[in-house]
């Protein structure tokens, strides 16, 4: 941060030269690294618009010989991509909504009260946050089949919500603690019950925190693979990771083209979602109200 | 009905700020100032009345009705917080309308009332702004408007002017007083600033260490302090206190006379230390002779009058007998006994 | 930190109601299942049934006599050590780099952090295509550059597969380390460097005396977090190789899945799950200790 290049710092021309060549080295290293890290993205996009047969050429040509959108068409016609996408969206939106709802009210209760059992539950959920999904996948599978929720999106929503909640609770608890209690005290004197004060005042003030939890929850559910693999089986309930993975090596020689087209679309979607989450939504906390 | 009766209220904390056995009544339409140093429990007392703290013991009655265990929302009390607690995500209009919206009043009625109150405090043109977009003084008015909007039975104000700069505070104090006279509201006003308390309060409650030291009109509290704490807490500079056997003798700096006294007067032999010129008055600092250590005393003399003192000079500070106050040395409590005064005057009379 | 908040009438009910759904979900879907694996591990339960014969420690005896288990245990340690080591190395290096000022820094930062935002399935698809023995671009480049003579079976050779999976994981998760370290680097007050410069300290000395002590707590904490998350990882490995070829990339989480859902041995899978639980417990102790230490330092 502070190593800003300032002419005044430089005592002589020799030093200036050394400083400049240092800059050049930093620049070159950074962009060498960026090229290596960024190459798969370029390759993905390039290959997604190559003719399907060209993808199986050895050695591969860098630029497409013929530009085509056939892979994208195939993706929608041959695979269940739209259905996978819709299922993923349902699961992600459903578990995000539930995580936000339960995480916000629960995190608020953990932040403000110290009734019997609350601290124990807070500790328990912190512990649960450290547990991997594979640990409980066998009992979860049994539970789902026992209650008849096997091969449903509901089971995925429930599982994803449960595994997001510990984080959501702890994050919101910390966030609500940073919101001064005087806002809700004022709201209660203005006639609100505890819940109304929470809903009308504390929650809107904590919106940036809620947004962060939302991004986390959505990303978790959107990426989730193990629950989908174990808890769903039929084609009509497959989410994107599971659905696309079944097309790997299903040669039908042409599957790479469709899969790279799907990857490109998903990348664009992720970027759009990320930018959406970053813009708007994020006014700072406590502005204006607290300090005079 | 806005009468407030507090009986033996008690709130214990680990640190300071608790309230111990406070009993107090506020009359309908009265503006009561609660004055004390920070940590004296004055804010806690206010929060107890609001229901934001639960008392360890004692009761609170609002309008004759027991309100000790009542939820804050059911008390019909409005409060202006020290930091204003304006909801940062709402505009000033929405902030002021908030209590009415919670009550589910019709939209039209809300709009009319909000406009009325906003004009009353002079922020009608700022209603579309968020709290962070207006100045400190405007926030203070908005907070006041939000408290006024639903015509509550009782107003609580917790140091509402302390976040304003000195000039603004002066103006806000005048407006507040005018507003109170016009609306006749019942209010409890917590402050550590004696000028605010004296200027605004019909009566002043002086608190220290969680207890009430004195309740009285500004004049009573100033002229007849109930104990040495009140005597030295109120007044700038504070009352001079000089040892005299079992008694402490007090006199206000401005009661010191240089020339002849009208009635019987007492002389305190002093050595002048230094003089401060403050424009309207000169503060003359001196050491009064006392058993053991000399005691620092101050005289506030009109600066127009001739100033006969120079540092090191030995002289007498003369005080009219009627301006002397006596306190019990052991308890610090005021002693109001004409006999005591007479005896003291006789002993120390310079006549 | 928390202000003492007064309890008003109705607050107790509100608190319990507010937490009820969270308690129900966390208990039902995480806590109780975790306890259930203790019960399952001492039974002979085929997948599809809810209980079986009590077999005592037979599942564990079988496990400890199983070469696959030791292979998975070894793979798990290589996977964790290799991934976390490389992620911390590259992550810290890139963070130091991005903490300098240079033209187009925003672009370099965007590209370098991008893999973290990518869905795992996309990373898997792209890298599987790029690592293909025959049509993959990686082999093509390596052969053209004269680095190797014959195509390497990146994901299909038992000797290379685990390394390939680690490299892909490093590509995907290094940005997390970069973000963490960059955040703490930017919190170092600039005056400290200026003062050191005035005292005649060179870049190396400034790094050792100012930068290093400042980032150490976050560095250690990040490494531990990455260790725990890397130990949990299932999807990336399973989607890249399915645990193969043979057992070359089977880590303990993958083995749980294989035992349970390929071999239908719920009891045996639960025994492995318990071993994982034990390992996590062992990891959590240093995590909590270091967490406390770094909180105290800051």
């Amino acid at each position: 941060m502070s190593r800003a290049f300032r002419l005044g710092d430089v005592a002589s021309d020799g030093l200036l030269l050394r400083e400049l060549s240092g800059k050049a080295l930093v620049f070159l290293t950074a962009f060498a690294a960026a090229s290596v890290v960024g190459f798969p993205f370029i390759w993905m996009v390039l290959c997604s618009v190559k003719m399907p047969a060209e993808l199986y050429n050895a050695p591969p040509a860098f630029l497409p010989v013929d530009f085509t959108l056939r892979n994208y068409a195939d993706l929608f016609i041959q695979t269940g991509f739209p259905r996978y996408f819709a299922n993923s969206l349902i699961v992600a939106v459903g578990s995000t909504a539930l995580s936000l709802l339960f995480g916000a009210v629960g995190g608020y209760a953990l932040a403000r009260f110290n009734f019997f059992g609350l601290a124990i539950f807070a500790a328990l959920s912190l512990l649960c946050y450290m547990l991997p999904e594979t640990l409980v996948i066998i009992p979860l599978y049994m539970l789902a089949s026992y209650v008849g929720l096997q091969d449903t999106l509901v089971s995925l929503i429930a599982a994803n919500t449960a595994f997001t909640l510990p984080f959501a609770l702890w994050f919101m608890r910390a966030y609500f603690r940073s919101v001064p209690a005087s806002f809700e005290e004022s709201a209660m004197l203005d006639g609100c019950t505890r819940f109304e004060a929470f809903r009308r005042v504390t929650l809107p003030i904590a919106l940036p925190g809620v947004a962060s939890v939302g991004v986390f929850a959505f990303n978790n559910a959107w990426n989730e693979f193990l629950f989908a693999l174990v808890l769903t089986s039929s084609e009509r309930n497959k989410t994107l990771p599971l659905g696309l993975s079944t097309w790997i090596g299903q040669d039908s020689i042409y599957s790479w083209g469709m899969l790279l087209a799907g990857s490109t679309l998903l990348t664009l979607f992720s970027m759009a979602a990320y930018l959406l989450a970053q813009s708007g939504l994020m006014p700072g906390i406590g502005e204006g109200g607290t300090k005079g | 009905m806005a009468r407030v009766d507090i009986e033996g209220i008690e709130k214990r904390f680990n640190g300071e700020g608790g309230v111990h056995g406070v009993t107090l009544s506020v009359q309908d339409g009265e503006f009561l100032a609660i004055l004390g140093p920070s940590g004296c429990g004055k804010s806690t007392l206010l929060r107890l009345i609001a229901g934001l703290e639960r008392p360890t013991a004692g009761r609170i009655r609002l309008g004759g009705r027991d309100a000790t265990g009542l939820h804050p929302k059911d008390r019909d009390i409005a409060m202006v917080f020290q930091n204003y607690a304006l909801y940062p995500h709402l505009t000033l209009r929405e902030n002021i309308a908030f209590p009415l919206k919670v009550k589910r009043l019709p939209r039209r009625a809300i709009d009319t009332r909000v406009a009325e109150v906003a004009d009353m405090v002079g922020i009608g043109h700022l209603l579309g702004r968020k709290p962070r977009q207006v100045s400190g003084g405007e926030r203070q008015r908005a907070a006041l408007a939000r408290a006024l909007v639903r015509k509550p039975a009782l107003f609580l104000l917790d140091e509402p002017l302390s976040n304003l700069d000195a000039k603004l505070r002066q103006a806000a104090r005048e407006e507040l007083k005018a507003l109170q006279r016009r609306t006749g509201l019942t209010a409890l006003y917590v402050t550590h600033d004696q000028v605010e308390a004296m200027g605004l309060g019909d009566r002043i409650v002086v608190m220290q260490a969680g207890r009430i030291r004195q309740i009285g009109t500004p004049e009573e509290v100033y002229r007849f302090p109930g104990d040495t704490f009140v005597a030295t807490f109120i007044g700038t500079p504070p009352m001079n206190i000089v040892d005299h056997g079992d008694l402490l003798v007090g006199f206000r700096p401005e009661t010191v006379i240089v020339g002849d006294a009208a009635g019987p007067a007492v002389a305190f032999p002093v050595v002048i230390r230094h003089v401060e010129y403050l424009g309207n008055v000169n503060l003359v600092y001196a050491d009064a002779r006392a058993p053991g250590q000399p005691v620092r005393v101050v005289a506030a003399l009109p600066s127009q009058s001739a100033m006969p003192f120079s540092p090191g000079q030995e002289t007498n500070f003369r005080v009219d007998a009627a301006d002397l106050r006596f306190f019990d040395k052991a308890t610090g409590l005021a002693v109001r006994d004409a006999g005591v005064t007479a005896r003291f005057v006789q002993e120390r009379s310079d006549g | 930190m928390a202000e003492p908040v007064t309890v008003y009438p109705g607050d107790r009910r509100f608190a319990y109601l507010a937490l009820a759904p969270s308690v129900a979900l966390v208990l039902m879907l995480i806590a109780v299942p975790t306890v259930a694996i203790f019960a399952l591990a001492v039974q002979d339960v085929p997948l599809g049934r809810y209980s079986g014969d009590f077999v005592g420690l037979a599942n564990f005896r079988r496990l400890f006599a199983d070469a696959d288990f030791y292979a998975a245990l070894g793979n798990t340690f290589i996977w964790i050590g290799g991934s976390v080591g490389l992620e911390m190395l590259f992550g810290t290096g890139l963070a130091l780099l991005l903490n300098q000022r240079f033209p187009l820094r925003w672009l370099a930062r965007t590209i370098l952090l991008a893999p973290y935002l990518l869905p795992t399935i996309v990373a898997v698809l792209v890298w599987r295509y790029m690592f293909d023995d025959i049509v993959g671009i990686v082999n093509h480049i390596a052969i053209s550059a004269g680095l190797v003579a014959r195509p390497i079976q990146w994901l299909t050779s038992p000797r290379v597969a685990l390394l390939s999976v680690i490299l892909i994981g490093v590509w995907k998760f290094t940005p997390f380390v970069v973000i963490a370290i960059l955040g703490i680097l930017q919190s170092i007050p600039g005056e400290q460097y200026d003062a050191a410069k005035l005292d005649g300290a060179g870049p190396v000395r400034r790094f050792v005396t100012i930068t290093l002590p400042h980032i150490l707590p976050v560095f250690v904490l990040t490494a531990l977090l990455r260790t725990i998350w890397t130990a949990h990882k299932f999807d990336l490995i399973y989607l890249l190789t399915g645990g193969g070829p043979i057992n070359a990339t089977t880590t303990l989480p993958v083995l749980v899945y294989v035992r349970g859902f390929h071999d239908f041995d719920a009891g045996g899978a639960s025994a492995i799950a318990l071993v994982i639980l034990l390992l996590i417990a062992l990891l959590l102790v240093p995590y909590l200790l270091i967490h406390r230490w770094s909180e105290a330092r800051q």
Side-chain angles (χ1 to χ4, degrees):
Chain A
M1 279 301 272
S2 66
R3 325 281 269 299
F5 175 67
R6 274 167 293 162
L7 211 60
D9 288 350
V10 180
S12 72
D13 286 356
L15 264 176
L16 175 66
L17 210 64
R18 223 169 67 196
E19 192 111 348
L20 273 180
S21 64
K23 288 279 155 201
L25 195 66
V26 166
F27 179 84
L28 287 177
T29 319
F31 277 89
S35 317
V36 174
V37 170
F39 179 76
F41 291 90
I42 295 167
W43 191 240
M44 168 183 75
V45 176
L46 282 177
C47 290
S48 76
V49 294
K50 286 177 181 173
M51 289 301 287
E54 200 193 324
L55 295 170
Y56 294 84
N57 280 355
F62 186 67
L63 290 172
V65 179
D66 293 305
F67 172 85
T68 177
L69 290 179
R70 209 182 122 186
N71 294 319
Y72 290 86
D74 284 350
L75 177 72
F76 281 86
I77 296 162
Q78 299 202 16
T79 76
F81 187 80
R83 169 150 293 275
Y84 303 156
F85 193 91
N87 285 342
S88 270
L89 211 57
I90 292 169
V91 171
V93 169
S95 51
T96 302
L98 289 180
S99 303
L100 286 182
L101 181 66
F102 300 156
V105 289
Y108 177 78
L110 291 179
R112 289 289 190 254
F113 304 119
N114 194 20
F115 298 130
F116 172 79
L118 264 58
I120 299 169
F121 178 66
L124 177 75
S125 56
L126 186 62
L127 218 60
C128 286
Y129 177 54
M130 296 293 167
L131 298 181
E133 300 162 1
T134 30
L135 192 69
V136 295
I137 193 64
I138 302 266
L140 271 191
Y141 171 82
M142 293 177 168
L143 183 65
S145 64
Y146 185 74
V147 298
L149 282 177
Q150 221 184 357
D151 198 20
T152 61
L153 295 182
V154 173
S155 67
L156 290 188
I157 292 175
N160 280 317
T161 306
F163 272 80
T164 306
L165 265 178
F167 171 81
L169 287 168
W170 272 83
F171 190 90
M172 290 317 298
R173 173 176 181 261
Y175 212 93
F176 283 129
R177 280 191 173 178
S178 74
V179 178
S182 62
F183 288 124
E184 61 206 48
E185 288 176 347
S186 174
M188 285 191 275
L189 282 170
D190 284 344
C192 290
T193 60
R194 170 70 74 172
F195 178 70
E196 282 172 332
F198 164 75
R199 184 176 61 81
R200 286 170 178 266
V201 174
T202 315
L203 188 64
I205 293 173
L207 209 58
V210 175
S212 307
V213 172
V215 169
F216 176 85
F218 190 92
N219 199 41
N220 246 14
W222 186 253
N223 263 318
E224 206 291 319
F225 176 70
L226 180 63
F227 294 146
L229 179 66
V230 168
L231 298 178
T232 61
S233 46
S234 65
E235 181 70 10
R236 55 181 282 273
N237 285 327
K238 278 181 181 162
T239 58
L240 272 170
L242 184 62
L244 289 181
S245 75
T246 54
W247 285 86
I248 302 175
Q250 291 269 321
D251 305 77
S252 118
I253 342 168
Y254 295 127
S255 64
W256 274 130
M258 300 185 305
L259 290 174
L260 291 171
S263 298
T264 305
L265 289 181
L266 279 185
T267 304
L268 290 176
F269 177 82
S270 304
M271 284 177 174
Y274 177 74
L275 288 177
L276 190 77
Q278 258 216 333
S279 66
L281 278 180
M282 309 278 187
I285 181 179
E287 284 168 321
T290 34
K291 279 272 138 53
Chain B
M1 283 297 285
R3 204 188 141 80
V4 182
D5 297 287
I6 299 162
E7 294 161 18
I9 207 86
E10 183 88 24
K11 177 74 187 177
R12 283 183 218 105
F13 286 130
N14 283 332
E16 57 178 12
V19 167
H20 307 294
V22 164
T23 298
L24 176 68
S25 287
V26 188
Q27 309 302 319
D28 193 13
E30 187 177 24
F31 199 109
L32 190 76
I34 303 174
L35 175 67
S38 67
C40 73
K42 58 190 190 299
S43 284
T44 307
L45 179 60
L46 208 63
R47 292 172 57 82
L48 282 163
I49 297 167
L52 298 176
E53 302 285 352
R54 321 230 89 187
T56 319
R59 353 193 102 269
I60 293 169
R61 279 210 299 268
L62 298 171
R65 194 164 58 112
D66 186 9
T68 315
L70 220 53
H71 194 284
K73 76 182 170 68
D74 300 320
R75 295 190 180 211
D76 197 17
I77 289 176
M79 181 156 165
V80 177
F81 288 76
Q82 182 173 7
N83 61 19
Y84 313 137
L86 289 172
Y87 312 126
H89 60 296
L90 302 180
T91 61
L92 294 195
R93 174 180 287 109
E94 291 164 333
N95 261 287
I96 299 170
F98 188 87
L100 304 181
K101 261 193 193 139
V102 173
K103 272 192 184 169
R104 299 212 162 72
L105 254 57
R107 217 195 129 81
R108 177 108 12 116
I110 294 180
D111 289 347
T112 321
R113 180 69 186 144
V114 168
E116 191 183 310
V117 177
D119 284 339
M120 197 192 297
V121 299
I123 54 164
H125 57 298
L126 298 170
L127 288 178
R129 301 216 193 148
K130 293 271 179 75
R132 66 168 177 278
Q133 295 166 321
V134 301
S135 72
E138 288 157 352
R139 276 179 221 164
Q140 186 264 326
R141 287 149 188 261
L144 200 60
R146 186 177 63 186
L148 284 167
V149 76
R150 67 193 164 96
K151 302 179 177 159
L154 178 65
F155 277 84
L156 304 176
L157 300 107
D158 188 3
E159 309 238 12
L161 306 185
S162 66
N163 279 344
L164 303 180
D165 60 50
K167 217 164 152 190
L168 216 52
R169 204 180 310 159
Q170 166 80 24
R173 201 169 68 218
E174 281 168 29
E175 284 170 29
L176 207 57
K177 187 73 197 170
L179 197 71
Q180 195 254 335
R181 238 181 256 125
R182 210 163 48 200
T183 52
L185 46 86
T186 313
L188 269 90
Y189 185 102
V190 158
T191 179
H192 66 272
D193 181 339
Q194 46 173 302
V195 181
E196 275 175 29
M198 304 280 274
L200 287 169
D202 295 326
R203 282 193 300 159
I204 295 180
V205 177
V206 184
M207 283 185 72
Q208 192 233 349
R211 294 175 203 283
I212 293 182
R213 304 307 292 249
Q214 189 175 4
I215 307 177
T217 64
E219 197 190 351
E220 283 167 358
V221 169
Y222 185 80
R223 293 198 50 210
F224 303 101
D227 60 17
T228 48
F229 172 79
V230 179
T232 50
F233 184 71
I234 291 181
T236 336
M239 182 177 272
N240 297 306
I241 306 274
V242 180
D243 241 27
H244 181 77
D246 293 344
L247 290 174
L248 296 168
V249 185
F251 56 95
R252 292 274 173 206
E254 66 273 18
T255 59
V256 173
I257 33 187
V258 198
D260 289 333
V266 173
F268 295 88
V270 298
V271 181
I272 303 296
R273 286 303 164 206
H274 66 277
V275 179
E276 271 176 17
Y277 175 72
L278 293 186
N280 55 339
V281 293
N282 286 312
L283 293 186
V284 183
Y285 293 85
D287 287 337
R289 246 177 275 144
Q293 285 281 68
V295 182
R296 175 58 56 94
V297 292
V298 190
L301 303 173
S303 47
Q304 291 93 332
S305 65
M307 184 44 54
F309 302 124
S310 54
Q313 181 187 344
E314 294 191 19
T315 184
N316 282 333
F317 274 1
R318 288 152 48 76
V319 179
D320 203 313
D323 291 330
L324 293 173
R325 302 290 176 262
F326 296 89
F327 305 94
D328 185 285
K329 198 174 188 177
T331 62
L333 291 175
V335 179
R336 288 195 197 160
D337 183 342
V340 171
T341 313
R343 225 172 307 138
F344 181 74
V345 171
Q346 203 163 35
E347 277 171 41
R348 298 287 294 266
S349 176
D350 58 335
Chain C
M1 176 170 69
E3 312 167 46
V5 171
T6 314
V7 174
Y8 306 117
D11 276 357
R12 187 177 293 267
R13 219 185 75 161
F14 168 83
Y16 287 130
L17 274 178
L19 274 167
S22 299
V23 172
L25 276 169
V26 169
L27 278 189
M28 220 163 56
L29 300 183
I30 311 181
V32 171
T34 304
V35 175
I37 59 171
F38 284 89
L40 289 170
V42 293
Q43 298 176 50
D44 178 19
V45 197
L47 196 74
R49 290 183 46 199
Y50 301 116
S51 62
D53 299 332
F54 177 79
V55 293
L57 296 178
N59 285 329
F60 292 95
R61 274 195 293 276
R62 208 149 41 87
L63 190 65
F64 295 140
D66 186 352
D68 288 355
F69 170 70
Y70 293 104
L73 200 61
N75 286 339
T76 305
F77 286 123
I78 297 172
W79 158 245
I80 295 174
S83 302
V84 177
L86 290 177
E87 284 165 19
M88 295 312 296
L89 181 72
F90 290 141
T92 310
L94 288 177
L96 288 168
L97 204 62
L98 288 175
N99 197 36
Q100 311 291 312
R101 290 199 178 187
F102 56 87
L104 293 176
R105 181 171 67 163
W106 64 272
L107 182 65
R109 180 156 55 192
T110 308
I111 296 172
L112 288 170
L113 299 185
Y116 195 62
L117 301 174
L118 215 60
T120 304
I121 183 67
V122 172
V124 165
L125 293 173
V126 173
W127 280 102
R128 276 187 75 152
Y129 179 60
M130 289 181 31
F131 268 166
D132 192 277
D133 323 347
I134 301 154
V135 302
I137 183 80
V138 177
N139 269 336
H140 172 64
I141 292 173
I143 291 171
S144 317
L147 293 174
V148 293
R150 281 172 303 149
I152 294 178
Q153 294 179 293
W154 292 102
L155 291 168
T156 46
S157 141
R159 287 184 29 222
V160 189
L162 187 55
L163 176 71
S164 302
V165 174
I166 288 174
L167 287 179
I168 296 169
V170 168
W171 176 80
K172 175 96 175 68
F173 296 110
T174 296
F176 177 84
V177 181
V178 177
I179 295 167
I181 304 283
L182 194 57
I184 192 73
L185 278 176
Q186 294 185 337
S187 78
I188 304 178
E191 307 89 70
Q192 291 195 7
Y193 287 109
D194 293 339
K197 257 187 211 171
L198 287 177
D199 292 343
V204 176
R205 195 178 175 83
R206 290 201 298 263
F207 179 79
V208 173
T209 55
I210 301 171
T211 314
L212 214 55
H214 206 91
I215 65 173
L216 194 63
V218 171
F219 181 90
V220 174
L221 216 57
T222 309
L224 265 164
L225 266 182
R226 283 306 311 153
T227 304
I228 292 171
W229 288 340
T230 307
H232 290 182
K233 210 77 206 143
F234 169 80
D235 53 359
L236 187 76
I237 303 171
Y238 186 80
L239 282 167
L240 281 171
T241 62
I246 314 170
N247 280 331
T249 57
T250 298
T251 58
L252 286 176
V254 176
L255 192 62
V256 171
Y257 176 79
V258 170
R259 275 287 171 281
F261 296 92
H262 289 183
D263 306 340
F264 305 113
D265 178 5
S270 298
I272 305 167
L274 275 186
V275 174
I276 295 181
L277 191 61
L278 182 73
L279 290 179
I280 291 168
L282 291 180
L283 274 176
L284 272 181
V285 174
Y287 173 80
L288 291 175
L289 286 178
I290 288 171
H291 191 78
R292 186 167 296 179
W293 166 75
S294 77
E295 298 254 289
R297 269 192 62 144
Q298 273 167 4

